Amino acid sequence: MSTDLGTAGGMDSRELVHFVTQQTRFALINNILQHPKQLPSMYELEELNPSVSEATVYKHIQKLIDAGIVREVPLDDDQRRQGYPWKFYGLTAEGRTFLDEHNLLAAEETLQQIYETISNKPEKMVKYENAPRPDDA
């Protein structure tokens, strides 16, 4: 593989597959993939994982960022609106390539269809889901 994924932690390709498929991290990757813009906010990730503490969601997102799979995508200052999130989380180009090479994106379309069927989203989640997202993502 030609990317530098996982090198910060000294992981080879096999170790990185094991790392990203750990239950919580893989659930978060799936949450990113199923999101309508593939850029959920931290709040949306927390809501989609009610059995996991907010601190744990944050910790695992940070690990995925450190491994080069996920990136934090902030809104430009002039796009930020009070009462809406301004940081979002999406796959890096290298992360998407890695996941695809290891057949971990096969369910992407199904995940998006499942997400569309969620009918009991809290009002705040619907608001955040419809929040402005960065243009360069």
Side-chain angles (χ1 to χ4, degrees):
M1 191 171 83
S2 62
T3 62
D4 293 331
L5 289 178
T7 55
M11 291 183 271
D12 64 23
S13 184
R14 184 181 59 80
E15 291 170 324
L16 190 54
V17 167
H18 180 73
F19 172 82
V20 299
T21 58
Q22 181 276 343
Q23 183 177 0
T24 301
R25 288 188 283 269
F26 199 56
L28 292 168
I29 290 168
N30 286 329
N31 296 150
I32 291 169
L33 290 170
Q34 73 183 159
H35 190 271
K37 305 277 187 191
Q38 294 193 345
L39 281 176
S41 64
M42 184 61 66
Y43 174 79
E44 291 167 288
L45 292 170
E46 292 164 356
E47 283 296 310
L48 291 167
N49 295 281
S51 64
V52 180
S53 74
E54 292 175 9
T56 299
V57 170
Y58 179 81
K59 177 181 80 171
H60 284 288
I61 283 291
Q62 193 58 54
K63 286 182 178 190
L64 288 164
I65 290 170
D66 293 344
I69 300 292
V70 169
R71 66 187 179 125
E72 183 180 274
V73 186
L75 273 175
D76 290 334
D77 289 343
D78 62 337
Q79 292 179 299
R80 296 180 187 178
R81 293 172 42 198
Q82 187 172 355
Y84 286 89
W86 60 274
K87 283 187 193 177
F88 305 93
Y89 301 89
L91 295 180
T92 62
E94 296 84 5
R96 178 171 277 286
T97 298
F98 178 82
L99 295 170
D100 190 39
E101 287 173 354
H102 292 86
N103 202 30
L104 298 173
L105 293 178
E108 184 174 7
E109 187 176 320
T110 302
L111 289 167
Q112 291 169 353
Q113 290 171 354
I114 291 169
Y115 187 88
E116 290 173 11
T117 67
I118 300 172
S119 60
N120 59 344
K121 295 177 195 171
E123 186 176 323
K124 183 177 178 180
M125 187 170 167
V126 172
K127 175 182 175 180
Y128 278 29
E129 187 178 286
N130 293 305
R133 297 291 194 277
D135 296 328
D136 67 347

